[in-house]
Amino acid sequence: MANSAEPSLSNNTSSSHLSNGSISHNICPNGSDHARNLEVISLNKLSSNLEQLLIDSDYDYGDADIIVEGIPVKIHRCILGSRSKFFHEIFKRGKDKGLSKNEGKLKYCLSDLLPYGKVGYEAFLIFLSYAYSGKLKPSPMEVSTCVDNVCAHDACGPAINFAVELMYASSIFQIPELVSLFQRRLLNFVGKALVEDVISILMVAFHCQLNQLVAQCVDRVARSDLDQISIEKELPHELSEKVKLLRRDLHQDDENDAPVVDTLSLKRITRIHKALDSDDVELVKLLLNESDITLDEAGALHYAVAHCDPKVVSEVLGLGLANVNLRNSRGYTVLHIAAMRKEPSIIVSLLTKGACASDLTFDGQSAVSICRRLTRPKDYHTKTEQGKETNKDRICIDVLEREMRRNPLATDPSVSSHTVADDLHMKLLYLENRVAFARLFFPLEAKLAMDIARAETTSEFAGLSASKGSNGNLREVDLNETPIMQNKRLISRMEALMKTVEMGRRYFPNCSEVLDKFMEDDLPDLFYLEKGTQEEQRVKRTRFVELKDDVNKAFSKDKAEFSRSGISSSSSSSSLRESVYYKARKM
């Protein structure tokens, strides 16, 4: 299991775990059992006492902080410097780049100290605990397992990634006994993991110069069905060449039976991929017109989803020339590739164009199960404060699961309301305000819907669309604009906003229901919170509080299906009030 502790690193195995040789193993020259027991007891006590410095706030004697993922971690330079040659050199320099002194404590930013790789907060705490106590703690479940209920967590993405982080920490901070242990752990992953996850193991082995692990990973990748294009995109040239040469050796006997490669077609496909790398979809169209290669034959959509900017994916989909449910040679649809990348805007773009969320890979994985196997419980269950962005991994899973359950015939794209007049300008004002409030309450979800609908490309929002504290960003009046031109512009804007609301209804139905009720029943009165008698103002303010409760409940309801509680933030509530007051003044 990825999260199990190694008994060989227990504090009672050897005093060398507590020191780089400063504590002798030969406390008792005659080797009596009593003296050995005394040594073990003493080391156990020393280990526990030093660990108190990390876990007990009453022992806060740290003289420096290391900032890890924005979180300060207190350290004692004398202990950490004596245990790690890396930190000994850092502390010996005195003043280092990125080092500052605040309130008497030195501060280091861990990301500035690392020459390569990534060491997260939880991985650094495990390293720190070992450095102080000589004991290796089990890997925390919230960062070393995934949220797939049927996964054994013995080779899923989070389990491998956390072991990779621990290897980086052990190697960079120069703790050789940990390097040896995690090399063995990663070797166990190589045979069981998906080949995509072996890539990350190969990268850490390469940087840490672990030749045995490099050889095992190269062999696994060479024997896999991972395409050479992906290998060259993911690996340094030195490693991709090793894989290429080994594949050639492995398939020498099959050369006579291998199909003849059309070098001209291969060259044309490579040009299409390079055009996608350059974000030049117009060049892609030109290359398609000049040859008989199609987007599907070039695997262009798979390539764009895996390696290109989401905007490029949207433009390729806009050509209408690619099969959105096409499988590649490995049996992966484009949506499967998007699930591996975990970019919500790409996933929603594909679903909007008809991608089938229920399609399975050859080994029985759906897009949502792929996403779940790559998502940590820490990211999936983290509460999102109102007005703050939701974790992207969570949104990908939410969207895919809702799509799996959705009845396509039940979707009602209409955004009409009996309180909205038929006048074009009134409809547009209604939609502007509705989307603006959606952006205020649920910023990332609203942005996702707007990106798909391309609402940002048309004229600017009125009123609440402005950023907090700004004077708005209203469209300047064009005196030369004719009525026909104006109507065309307004209709274009309204269609984009209608598409935005449709996306919101499709993927966030409960929140959309609250917004509907708010727009119909409460918005007119809330624009005038400061007008009327004192009693009227009191009633309006009471309703305003109820509105915020409704929004919180709707958000909770949308998330409850996915085992998530509601949200609350006093600062966000304050922002909401300020925004409504701003709108009231503009009215």
Side-chain angles (χ1 to χ4, degrees), residues 459-466 471-477 582 586:
S459 56
E460 295 296 331
F461 278 6
L464 284 174
S465 63
N471 293 323
N473 193 17
L474 303 181
R475 184 179 183 277
E476 292 183 3
V477 176
Y582 170 76
K586 296 302 289 182

Side-chain angles (χ1 to χ4, degrees), residues 100-118:
S100 63
K101 194 167 185 178
N102 185 20
E103 298 179 355
K105 271 192 177 183
L106 295 171
K107 292 187 181 295
Y108 300 82
C109 182
L110 184 63
S111 60
D112 293 340
L113 302 178
L114 300 177
Y116 48 78
K118 172 185 177 293

Side-chain angles (χ1 to χ4, degrees), residues 309-324:
D309 188 90
K311 180 175 177 290
V312 174
V313 175
S314 179
E315 291 178 358
V316 173
L317 286 170
L319 297 177
L321 301 176
N323 178 3
V324 76

